């Protein structure tokens, strides 16, 4: 019966729905864009290019991009229609507007996110600052750059794609016919820097992030590849900014320590018994030794006290060995291929060669599997994805599943989620979950359903959570004689081919989560009439949106389709996080029913998923809170490096450091107001560690204040510096200053990162002392950073006074730095701590002036001039 009250309530809710109101506002803008369509269609290709150039001039002259949006979107839509035969739908235009506004556009699978992004990309590229389009894998980056390249080219923009080992630029005049996919044929190899100079650059989140870190490790500005980070659109934004956000980007180098210790502790871990020697927490993947376990480890490792400060390393090693034993499974979390442990991405199922778990975990797994242990890596540079992407002035994203994580997007990135309506109504039927008691009975039911659908001729896509489960299901299908394809991390190079066939009549495709990203399953002829693609989920994922991604493979663009999830009480989600699992099991036993299908059970599963999502949100929030502390420090260090590379006055910089050191030690040695009580002798001896001066110049002066003494010492330091400068041509001295500054900063920063890693690892224990670990971390990190800055100053000042630049005549031979003693004399025995090359500073022998052939060479080598620089 019609109720006015209910109708009023629904209307009020609709009016209050901010998402709907926003969409309605954008529809008005779309109407303006549509009104320009006849005008744009009337333009010739030459006129279109001219129009685009004028828009570029207006944008770079200061006209607001918002004011240019209607014209730019209308022009880009027409360019897409002409260049690739695809005219963006109105809902795609709305998605483009949302992306331009720096928000996340949630667009259902198959709604054309790639095409929708061209309009905001084009508009923002008009400023000439470069727009980055971020994808989840390299194939998609290349595909999208080649696919959309003709659109941008028609509008006068350049397009490139960053790859792991190859960087490419879209060039319609170039053809590489080795590619079957036409979208890849017009991509020409160029340098990495050239790609970043393009108006539009496609690439993966890893490549963009690592290039940022590498740019902040270079010795010369010409080696940098990236420009300022202006605007990025992140495709599959939930995968990049949420799923992968728990793992920071790390550039590392091998340490020199032995790897035998990992084998030793892997053997010890193998002998320890669960619940007797150690306890585990599956939620946090942590292990704790019991008293018995500690005693056993101490006996087997031949140490007295495992938790003594002297044995911090051993405690760390047994912890990692137990984690490897308890929580990391072969063919689930990693595979062993050609004697190497290769990580399997838990969200996509793809292999990640080259990626390694940090902090000794990867070595612990290698020891467990008895393969060659690669040396532990020392962190040279690191950043989280959260903090990398927050460096962009403007950030936007698109995905089929973002709304369930809207809170996290807003809190961490300041990004709002807008749900974009579909172009055609969604008619896919999502059946309720079926719950089984055991995994075995669940998989038997899955095979039954696959067989039933296959007989009807409907294509079936089966989603599994691991390689192991996909191979188990494959064996069961083989026994039934059902032809099928398996898509997992072991054959992902065939992904595009397998997915292209997954919508054909009678096709059966088993896939790990990788099938849910970036590729469309197009229905074969007559399949729609049979009911379309049927999607089967063999297990609920920890995050609801991963399940939604799998469902979203069916029912694209108004196609028919269906989905169903099969769940067992032995599934990871139910076992670890499902508090209602025991109650469900009792119902099954009491009534002897299987499967169970009930709304209450589905709600219990969703509650379990929400709990896991909340748990992981807290984990990611914790990661970013700790990295925020490091981010402030990183900004200071990278900022200083950048100023040095850009040509800051290095002489003034070093003299300022000298002043700080003088002030510090004057305060330390000269306490109290009475100058007679000051330790002038101790101060002189200490300052001689930095530069040489005549002690009498300090001892013979009567001081009225510490400031007067500090001024005198600083003036002596400046004079010593001027003497150093007379020994070298000015350009070489400046290069020496820059080299010393950069390398000292880099070396000290690496030591600091290692220290912070150890601090971060152990800081959680402070909670037992009733203190907030994050507050403690901030305090100790602040102290450590101030210590880092002091150490940089001290080493720079010591080095600049203690090195001699040896200038070689041949252009290809670079100068070296030779340590001197405190008085500026070369060490008599000729032995040095290290020789280091100064880049690009070759100076001709003539720089020394007139020198006799048999005179000692002015470079200080100890050789005659004719045997050295006079050759």
């Amino acid at each position: 019966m019609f109720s006015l009250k209910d109708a009023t309530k629904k209307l009020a809710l609709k009016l209050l729905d901010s998402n709907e109101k926003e969409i309605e506002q954008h529809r008005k803008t779309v109407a303006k864009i549509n009104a320009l369509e006849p005008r744009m269609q009337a333009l010739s290709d030459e006129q279109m290019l001219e129009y685009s150039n004028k828009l570029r001039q207006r944008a770079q002259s200061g006209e607001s991009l918002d004011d240019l949006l209607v014209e730019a979107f209308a022009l880009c839509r027409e360019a897409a229609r002409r260049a690739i035969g695809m005219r963006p739908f109105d809902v795609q235009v709305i998605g483009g507007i949302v992306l331009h506004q720096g928000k996340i556009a949630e667009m259902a699978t198959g709604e054309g996110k790639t095409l929708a992004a061209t309009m905001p990309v084009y508009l923002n590229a008009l400023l000439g600052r470069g727009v980055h389009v971020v994808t989840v894998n390299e194939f998609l980056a290349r595909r999208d750059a080649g696919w959309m390249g003709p659109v941008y080219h028609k509008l006068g923009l350049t397009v490139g794609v960053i790859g792991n080992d190859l960087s490419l630029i879209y060039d319609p005049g170039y053809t590489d016919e080795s590619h079957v996919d036409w979208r890849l044929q017009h991509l020409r190899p160029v340098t990495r820097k050239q790609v970043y100079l393009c108006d539009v650059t496609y690439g993966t989140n890893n490549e963009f992030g690592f290039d940022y870190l590498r740019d902040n490790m270079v010795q010369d500005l010409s080696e940098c590849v990236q420009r300022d980070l202006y605007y990025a659109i992140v495709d599959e934004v939930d995968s990049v900014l949420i799923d992968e956000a728990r793992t920071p980007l790390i550039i590392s180098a091998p340490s020199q320590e032995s790897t035998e210790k990992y084998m030793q502790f892997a053997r010890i871990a193998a002998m320890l018994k669960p619940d007797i020697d150690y306890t585990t927490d599956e939620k946090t993947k942590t292990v704790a030794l019991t008293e018995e376990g500690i005693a056993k480890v101490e006996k087997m490792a031949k140490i007295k006290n495992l938790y003594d400060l002297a044995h911090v390393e051993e405690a760390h090693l047994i912890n990692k060995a137990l984690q490897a034993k308890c929580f990391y499974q072969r063919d689930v979390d990693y595979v062993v291929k050609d004697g190497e442990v290769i990580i399997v991405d838990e969200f996509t199922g793809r292999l990640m060669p080259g990626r390694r778990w940090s902090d000794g975990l990867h070595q612990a797994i290698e020891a467990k599997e008895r393969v060659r242990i690669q040396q532990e890596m020392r962190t040279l540079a690191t950043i989280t994805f959260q903090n990398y992407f927050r460096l962009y002035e403007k950030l936007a994203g698109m995905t089929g599943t973002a709304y369930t994580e809207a809170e996290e997007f807003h809190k961490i990135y300041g990004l709002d989620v807008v749900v974009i309506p579909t172009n055609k109504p969604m008619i896919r039927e999502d059946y309720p979950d079926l719950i089984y008691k055991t995994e075995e009975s669940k998989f038997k039911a899955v095979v039954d359903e696959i067989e039933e659908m296959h007989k009807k001729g409907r294509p079936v896509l089966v989603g599994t959570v691991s390689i192991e489960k996909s191979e188990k299901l494959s064996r069961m299908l083989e026994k039934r004689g059902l032809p099928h394809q398996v898509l997992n991390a072991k054959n992902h190079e065939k992904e595009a081919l397998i997915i292209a066939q997954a919508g054909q009549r009678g096709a059966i495709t088993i896939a790990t989560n990788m099938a849910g990203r970036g590729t469309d399953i197009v229905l074969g002829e007559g399949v729609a009439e049979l009911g379309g693609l049927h999607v089967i989920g063999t297990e609920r994922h920890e995050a609801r949106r991963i399940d939604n991604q799998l469902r979203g493979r069916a029912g694209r663009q108004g196609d028919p389709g269906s989905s169903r999830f099969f769940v067992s009480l032995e599934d990871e989600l139910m076992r670890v996080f499902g508090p209602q699992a025991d109650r469900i099991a009792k119902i099954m036993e009491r009534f002897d029913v299987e499967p169970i299908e009930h709304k209450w059970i589905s709600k219990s599963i969703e509650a379990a998923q929400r709990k896991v999502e909340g748990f992981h949100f807290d984990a990611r929030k914790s990661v970013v809170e700790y990295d925020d502390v490091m981010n402030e420090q990183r900004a200071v260090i990278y900022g200083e490096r950048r100023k040095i590379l850009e040509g800051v006055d290095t002489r003034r910089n070093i003299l300022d450091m000298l002043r700080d050191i003088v002030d510090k030690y004057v305060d330390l040695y000269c306490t109290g107001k009475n100058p007679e009580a000051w330790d002038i002798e101790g101060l002189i001896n200490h300052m001689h560690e930095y530069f040489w001066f005549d002690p009498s110049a300090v001892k013979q002066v009567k001081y009225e204040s510490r400031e007067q003494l500090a001024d005198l010492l600083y003036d002596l330091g400046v004079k010593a510096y001027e003497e150093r400068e007379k020994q070298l041509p000015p350009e070489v001295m400046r290069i020496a200053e820059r080299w010393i500054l950069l390398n000292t900063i880099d070396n000290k920063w690496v030591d600091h990162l290692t220290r912070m890693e150890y601090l971060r690892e152990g800081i959680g224990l402070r909670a037992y002392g009733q203190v907030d670990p994050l507050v403690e971390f901030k305090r100790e990190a602040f102290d450590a950073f101030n210590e880092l800055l002091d150490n940089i100053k001290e080493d720079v000042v010591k080095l600049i006074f203690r090195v001699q630049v040896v200038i070689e005549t041949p252009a290809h031979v670079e100068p070296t730095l030779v340590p001197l003693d405190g008085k500026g004399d070369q060490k008599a025995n000729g032995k040095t701590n290290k020789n280091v090359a100064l880049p690009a500073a070759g100076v001709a022998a003539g720089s020394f002036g007139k020198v006799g052939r048999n005179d000692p060479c002015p470079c200080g080598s100890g050789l005659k001039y004719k045997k050295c620089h006079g050759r």
Side-chain angles (χ1 to χ4, degrees):
M1 186 176 176
F2 176 79
S3 165
L4 182 60
K5 185 178 179 181
D6 289 345
T8 306
K9 186 178 179 181
K10 285 181 181 177
L11 181 61
L13 286 171
K14 188 171 182 179
L15 290 172
L16 290 171
D17 186 346
S18 59
N19 191 88
E20 187 61 33
K21 287 167 78 173
E22 185 164 346
I23 296 297
E24 284 304 313
Q25 193 63 39
H26 294 328
R27 289 190 196 278
K28 295 175 184 176
T29 306
V30 172
K32 295 177 184 176
I33 294 167
N34 289 344
L36 284 180
E37 194 160 20
R39 178 180 160 193
M40 297 302 170
Q41 288 179 347
L43 296 173
S44 66
D45 283 359
E46 292 76 17
Q47 289 171 326
M48 176 178 280
L49 184 58
E50 188 181 342
Y51 198 132
S52 183
N53 290 334
K54 285 180 180 177
L55 286 177
R56 188 194 290 258
Q57 289 168 9
R58 286 164 62 188
Q60 295 180 12
S61 298
E63 192 167 344
S64 161
L65 291 184
D66 290 342
D67 292 340
L68 297 175
L69 185 147
V70 171
E71 291 173 81
F73 272 45
L75 190 65
C76 187
R77 175 192 258 181
E78 176 59 21
R81 189 185 69 81
R82 293 187 195 184
I84 58 175
M86 301 176 76
R87 176 190 175 276
F89 301 125
D90 286 1
V91 289
Q92 288 174 300
V93 177
I94 291 174
I97 296 169
V98 169
L99 292 172
H100 165 66
Q101 292 179 337
K103 297 178 181 179
I104 291 173
E106 178 174 294
M107 300 177 69
T109 301
E111 290 295 304
K113 294 186 290 292
T114 307
L115 184 60
T118 58
M119 292 169 283
V121 166
Y122 168 62
L123 174 61
N124 284 269
L126 293 173
L127 287 173
R129 299 181 61 188
V131 175
H132 294 171
V133 184
V134 187
T135 63
V136 289
N137 65 59
E138 196 167 315
F139 170 75
L140 292 178
R142 290 187 184 186
R143 183 201 71 178
D144 293 354
W147 189 9
M148 298 299 140
V151 180
Y152 299 121
H153 181 74
K154 198 166 271 295
L155 295 166
L157 300 186
T158 51
V159 185
V161 54
I162 293 292
N164 183 34
D165 54 1
L166 189 64
S167 296
L168 306 154
I169 196 167
Y170 176 76
D171 180 358
Y174 171 87
T175 303
D176 181 356
E177 294 182 353
S178 65
H179 295 287
V180 177
D181 192 329
W182 61 268
R183 293 170 295 194
L184 306 179
Q185 290 182 350
H186 300 300
L187 296 173
R188 174 169 57 84
V190 291
T191 66
R192 210 168 182 86
K193 191 164 189 172
Q194 283 176 295
V195 173
Y196 276 112
L197 289 173
C198 287
D199 296 304
V200 184
T201 304
Y202 285 82
T204 65
N205 47 321
N206 285 336
E207 293 305 317
F208 284 122
F210 280 129
D211 280 340
Y212 168 76
L213 291 176
R214 283 189 286 261
D215 276 0
N216 283 288
M217 297 170 67
V218 300
Q219 293 291 314
D220 193 272
L221 206 57
S222 64
E223 297 170 34
C224 291
V225 294
Q226 284 188 345
R227 295 191 275 171
D228 290 340
L229 302 177
Y230 163 55
Y231 178 47
I233 293 179
V234 183
D235 193 9
E236 306 298 353
V237 67
D238 56 322
S239 178
V240 174
L241 297 190
I242 290 183
D243 294 339
E244 297 196 33
R246 279 185 276 172
T247 308
L249 290 168
I250 298 173
I251 292 179
S252 53
S255 68
Q256 302 305 311
E257 296 176 10
S258 168
T259 56
E260 170 54 32
K261 58 192 179 183
Y262 290 104
M263 295 300 296
Q264 177 192 1
F265 281 93
R267 290 191 291 269
I268 292 173
M271 289 186 273
L272 298 179
K273 297 175 182 176
D275 299 323
I276 297 172
D277 299 321
Y278 60 88
T279 58
T280 61
D281 186 332
E282 291 191 64
K283 291 183 186 180
T284 57
K285 287 192 176 180
T286 53
V287 183
L289 286 167
T290 62
E291 291 295 329
E292 288 181 55
I294 292 169
K296 285 185 182 178
V297 172
E298 287 171 345
K299 184 179 179 181
M300 288 186 276
K302 297 179 181 177
I303 55 179
K304 284 187 177 180
N305 182 357
L306 180 62
Y307 292 103
D308 188 277
L309 282 175
H311 298 300
V312 168
E313 185 182 17
E314 285 83 355
H316 176 74
L317 286 169
I318 189 61
N319 183 268
K320 292 301 170 188
L322 285 170
Q323 279 187 317
K325 172 185 173 180
C326 300
F327 300 120
Y328 292 85
Q329 298 177 48
R330 185 169 179 163
D331 284 342
V332 176
D333 302 294
Y334 62 89
V335 297
V336 177
K337 188 177 180 182
D338 300 328
E340 277 190 64
V341 170
I342 303 175
I343 298 173
V344 173
D345 188 313
E346 63 175 306
F347 301 104
T348 66
R350 288 187 172 86
L351 291 183
M352 298 195 291
R355 291 280 291 271
R356 292 175 64 81
W357 284 295
S358 62
D359 207 22
L361 176 60
H362 210 101
Q363 287 80 6
I365 293 170
E366 287 169 331
K368 181 182 84 167
E369 294 292 344
R370 299 185 178 278
V371 299
R372 187 177 68 85
I373 300 172
Q374 296 184 30
Q375 286 182 313
E376 191 167 349
M377 307 302 278
R378 191 174 183 218
T379 300
L380 304 180
T382 179
I383 192 170
T384 59
F385 281 122
Q386 290 101 321
N387 275 319
Y388 171 70
F389 282 107
R390 292 196 297 190
L391 291 170
Y392 283 89
E393 281 183 41
K394 185 173 170 182
L395 182 64
M398 50 189 182
T399 179
T401 47
Y403 206 70
T404 56
E405 313 292 344
E407 181 188 4
E408 181 166 354
F409 281 124
H410 183 75
K411 285 186 175 178
I412 303 294
Y413 302 98
L415 290 170
D416 293 325
V417 177
V418 179
V419 181
I420 310 300
T422 56
N423 184 48
K424 294 178 181 178
M426 173 73 70
I427 61 171
R428 183 186 69 234
E429 186 166 1
D430 297 324
Y431 297 111
D433 296 359
L434 292 176
I435 293 89
Y436 293 80
K437 192 172 182 182
T438 66
E439 184 176 84
E440 207 58 46
S441 59
K442 177 188 73 174
F443 271 103
K444 183 180 178 301
V446 166
V447 174
D448 288 342
E449 178 137 339
I450 292 171
E451 188 171 32
E452 183 185 339
M453 292 293 168
H454 183 68
K455 285 176 181 175
K456 292 178 181 177
R458 288 185 65 183
V460 182
L461 174 69
V462 189
T464 62
V465 295
S466 68
I467 300 168
E468 182 187 32
K469 299 286 172 66
S470 67
E471 292 179 344
K472 175 181 178 178
L473 187 58
S474 176
R475 288 191 295 271
M476 293 176 74
L477 290 174
E478 282 173 3
K479 286 180 182 178
R480 295 272 188 103
L482 293 169
H484 61 280
Q485 293 279 359
V486 180
L487 177 61
N488 61 32
K490 291 186 175 179
N491 66 344
H492 67 268
E493 64 274 7
K494 299 178 184 175
E495 175 180 347
L497 184 62
I498 293 173
I499 284 294
Q501 302 300 317
Q504 299 304 307
R505 189 184 181 102
I508 301 171
T509 309
I510 303 172
T512 47
N513 293 326
M514 62 197 306
R517 296 287 182 182
T519 49
D520 276 340
I521 297 174
V522 181
L523 299 184
E525 190 175 344
V527 170
E529 289 72 25
L530 296 172
L533 178 69
H534 181 57
V535 170
I536 295 175
T538 58
E539 195 167 323
R540 282 283 199 163
H541 196 273
E542 288 180 341
R544 287 169 292 167
R545 60 195 165 74
I546 305 295
D547 293 341
N548 293 339
Q549 278 281 349
L550 181 60
R551 285 192 199 276
R553 306 320 302 161
R556 60 182 292 279
Q557 281 293 326
D559 285 341
S562 56
S563 71
R564 188 193 292 277
F565 277 85
F566 289 72
V567 180
S568 89
L569 297 181
E570 293 178 346
D571 290 351
E572 189 74 12
L573 179 72
M574 297 297 287
R575 189 168 60 81
V576 180
F577 289 99
Q580 309 295 341
D582 290 340
R583 291 174 62 189
I584 298 169
K586 286 175 183 175
I587 292 171
M588 285 182 164
E589 286 171 5
R590 185 183 303 170
F591 298 104
D592 192 24
V593 291
E594 190 176 22
I596 284 183
E597 180 182 323
H598 197 280
K599 286 183 181 179
W600 170 74
I601 295 173
S602 295
K603 284 181 180 177
S604 294
I605 293 171
E606 287 196 8
Q609 287 178 307
R610 278 195 294 272
K611 186 182 288 186
V612 184
E613 288 165 2
F615 175 77
H616 288 320
F617 175 28
D618 290 341
R620 289 187 295 266
K621 189 164 174 276
S622 176
V623 167
V624 81
E625 282 174 341
Y626 281 94
D627 193 59
D628 280 345
V629 179
M630 294 305 299
N631 206 43
E632 292 174 13
Q633 299 181 2
R634 190 185 298 113
V636 172
I637 294 296
Y638 287 177
E640 284 302 309
R641 284 191 101 264
R642 191 76 183 191
K643 282 191 270 186
I644 294 164
L645 292 173
E646 289 174 348
V648 71
D649 187 342
T650 50
R651 184 183 191 274
R652 180 73 265 157
N653 202 353
I654 292 174
L655 290 178
D656 286 344
M657 292 180 176
L658 172 64
R659 181 75 213 202
D660 289 343
I661 289 168
V662 168
D663 290 343
K664 175 182 175 180
Y665 289 107
V666 167
D667 287 345
L668 184 66
Y669 284 94
C670 304
T671 55
K673 294 183 179 180
N674 181 13
E676 300 295 326
W678 293 351
D679 184 4
I680 299 295
E681 192 71 37
L683 177 63
I684 290 170
N685 289 339
H686 191 93
M687 293 313 298
H688 275 164
E689 291 182 19
Y690 298 93
F691 61 91
W692 181 254
F693 57 91
D694 185 350
S696 63
V698 177
K699 290 179 178 178
Q700 293 174 2
V701 178
K702 296 289 183 182
Y703 304 102
E704 296 179 1
S705 66
R706 280 191 292 271
E707 288 76 17
Q708 184 186 357
L709 174 56
D711 288 344
L712 174 63
L713 279 170
Y714 175 68
D715 289 342
L716 290 171
V718 172
K719 286 178 184 175
Y721 201 84
E722 289 169 349
E723 289 299 313
R724 294 286 291 125
E725 289 180 299
K726 289 177 184 176
Q727 299 168 15
L728 294 168
E731 66 273 18
V732 177
M733 187 64 183
R734 300 292 83 84
I735 290 170
E737 289 167 346
R738 189 178 76 163
W739 190 94
I740 289 169
L741 281 165
L742 287 175
N743 282 274
T744 304
I745 288 171
D746 289 347
N747 290 332
K748 293 296 177 186
W749 177 243
V750 169
D751 291 340
H752 180 72
L753 288 176
T754 303
R755 181 177 176 183
M756 289 299 97
E757 280 177 18
Y758 285 128
L759 176 62
R760 174 71 181 91
E761 185 183 336
I763 203 74
L765 298 173
R766 307 287 178 91
Y768 293 110
Q770 304 299 309
V771 295
D772 185 338
L774 180 60
V775 172
E776 287 291 290
F777 182 80
K778 286 179 178 178
R779 183 180 61 78
E780 294 200 22
F782 178 77
D783 292 342
F785 189 63
N786 284 333
E787 189 180 320
L788 165 70
L789 297 180
D790 285 345
N791 289 340
I792 288 172
K793 292 174 187 176
E794 302 228 352
D795 278 27
V796 166
V797 173
K798 282 178 182 176
L799 269 173
I800 200 68
F801 283 108
R802 287 173 178 268
V803 297
Q804 179 177 353
V805 180
V806 180
I807 307 171
E808 301 288 357
T809 306
H812 67 278
V813 179
E814 297 172 339
T816 57
L817 297 178
V818 182
L820 307 178
D821 67 13
K823 297 182 181 180
D825 298 324
Q826 189 169 352
K827 291 185 178 177
N829 61 10
K831 291 183 180 178
T832 61
N833 293 329
K834 62 178 178 178
N835 291 322
V836 284
L838 266 178
V843 178
S847 301
F848 294 124
K850 190 173 181 180
V851 183
R853 283 175 50 74
N854 292 309
D855 291 342
C857 188
C859 77
S861 65
L863 300 174
K864 289 183 179 181
Y865 181 65
K866 66 182 180 182
K867 295 282 188 182
C868 190
H869 280 80
R871 280 185 297 181

